[in-house]
Structure formats: C-alpha cells, structure tokens
DNA sequence: CGGCATCCACCGGGATACTG
DNA sequence: CAGTATCCCGGTGGATGCCG
C-alpha cells in the first residue's frame, strides 16, 4: 500500500500487438509482395520480373513464409511448362486498410514531405 | 512498339512506401516504445523498467534512431541525479492511426482470432 | 541516473549453381 | 517455368563493463 502500482507493469516486445503484425509483414520484400498482390493474383515469374532486385531464393522463401502465416495461397497448375499463381487470402486482403495507412504516412512524412 | 508496356515496370523494396514506414518503426523495440509514448512522455529509467527485456544499450540506440527520424524528442534536465524525458513529436504522434490499425489487425487475426 | 564503448552471436538476406 | 541447395556476408540485437 506504500506505492501505487501503475497500470502498465511490464511490456515486452512479444506482447506488443504492433510487433505481432510487423512479424508477419516485416520481411524485407513482404510489403511490396503484398502490395502487388492487392491488385490481383500473380505468377512467380511475374513477381520476379516486377521486382528484379530480389533473389529467386529469397522471393521463394518470403512467399513460403507468407503462405505459412495464412496471408497468401499458392496454386500450382500441373502443366508444362509449370505455372504457379499466388493470391491473397481473406486474411491477407484484410491487411489492406492498415497497409494503406502505412503507405499514406510515408507519402506525407517521408517522401512528399 | 511490339510489346505493350505494363503499368508496373519494376518495384524495388526501396520504392515501396510501406517499406519506407517500416524502416522507421521496424526496430525490434520501436513499436512498444512508441506505443508507450503515445500515452505520454516517459523517463529513460521508466521505459527501461517497463520493458525489462531490453538491454540498456539497445534501448538507448533505438531511442536515438527514433530521435534522428524525428519521431521523438529527448529532453535532458541538468539535475542531480540526471533526468531525461522522451516524448513524441507531432510526426511521431501522427503515427497513431496507422499503429492503431496494426494493433487491431493483430488482435483480430493473430491473438484474439 | 542515464548513458556510451566494446565485443560477440545470430539470422535474414544475397550470389551462384543446379533440378523437376 | 519455378523453384531448391549451398555457402556467405552484414546488420541488428544482446551481454558486459566503464563514465559524467
């Protein structure tokens, strides 16, 4: 009864809800990937050509991680030559408003000044 | 003139507006730091006690980076013992809506589900 | 109290070569 | 076309110790 306990006792990074979201979208290439897929499904090769700076292995892994987090789906067509299309899930689509705000903030406060 | 040029020619990570914002708030401890400061200014020691898992040096550096990015201000009071208070700038405060959306997304799609 | 200097460990990202 | 398999590198985060 000596000291009044404050509301926030401890606050680790793990419990931070913002961190939890950034853990999902925070990969170096995940924002541009999701940003592109918000316009519609894309093939692996198209993603690669659209983002020439990303190594194939890295693109592959980022896509796999996004799939594991339920953000995108991977659909392979058993054709020759192979075709694989990536598309957002509902969960991924639900990121749109948040990502839009992040985008607008940078336009206002970083790029556009 | 043979091929029709698509709208999106290339899309590096550097040009992605979302990535630009995440570069600012994406440090491991930056979200919880900003999240706390959205409630009001705090002293260095209070931040440290509130987030026990962060090493002092790391906390110090993250604060310095946020200051360099214009997100927070550092005010030192020439007293004994020393006192230093950190507070959000307007630019930092302007992150509130975006961070709120990130927070809500995780509550809905990760934690609470 | 509120740092900074030093050193270290880890892991995400990258280049290259090969495959179903 | 759409990857996987290795190997490597740098940056960020972390532990410890000293200082105004």
């Amino acid at each position: 009864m000596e000291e009044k306990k404050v509301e926030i006792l401890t606050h680790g990074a793990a419990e931070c809800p913002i961190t939890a979201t950034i853990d999902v979208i925070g990969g170096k290439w995940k924002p541009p990937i999701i940003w592109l897929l918000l316009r519609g499904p894309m093939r692996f090769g198209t993603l690669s050509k659209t983002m020439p700076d990303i190594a194939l292995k890295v693109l592959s892994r980022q896509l796999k991680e996004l799939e594991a987090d339920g953000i995108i789906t991977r659909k392979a067509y058993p054709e020759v030559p192979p075709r694989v299309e990536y598309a957002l899930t509902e969960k991924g689509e639900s990121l749109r408003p948040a990502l839009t705000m992040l985008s607008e903030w940078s336009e206002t406060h970083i790029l556009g000044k």
Side-chain angles (χ1 to χ4, degrees), chain A:
Chain A
M1 52 176 291
E2 310 75 34
E3 291 182 288
K4 185 139 156 297
K5 295 280 175 65
V6 285
E7 277 296 323
I8 308 155
L9 294 174
T10 61
H11 196 274
E15 304 101 58
C16 181
I18 304 171
T19 300
T21 301
I22 291 187
D23 281 344
V24 173
I25 65 170
K28 178 167 180 182
W29 297 95
K30 287 178 186 177
I33 290 172
I34 302 173
W35 203 235
L36 288 172
L37 291 181
L38 279 170
R39 295 174 169 82
M42 288 180 78
R43 302 179 57 166
F44 184 86
T46 311
L47 284 167
S48 176
K49 285 179 188 60
T50 307
M51 302 178 288
D53 290 345
I54 182 172
L56 293 183
K57 172 211 165 181
V58 175
L59 174 57
S60 174
R61 202 179 51 202
Q62 302 263 310
L63 288 169
K64 204 170 292 183
E65 289 172 10
L66 287 172
E67 190 188 2
D69 284 330
I71 305 299
I72 64 175
T73 56
R74 188 194 113 105
K75 175 152 191 169
Y77 296 85
E79 307 171 351
V80 179
R83 182 163 60 102
V84 178
E85 278 207 343
Y86 292 91
L88 289 180
T89 60
E90 276 200 18
K91 187 176 174 183
E93 177 66 36
S94 72
L95 279 166
R96 184 191 296 270
L99 295 182
T100 301
M101 301 231 51
L102 290 178
S103 175
E104 287 173 353
W105 188 87
S106 83
E107 308 276 5
T108 306
H109 295 277
I110 301 183
L111 312 173
K113 172 52 196 176

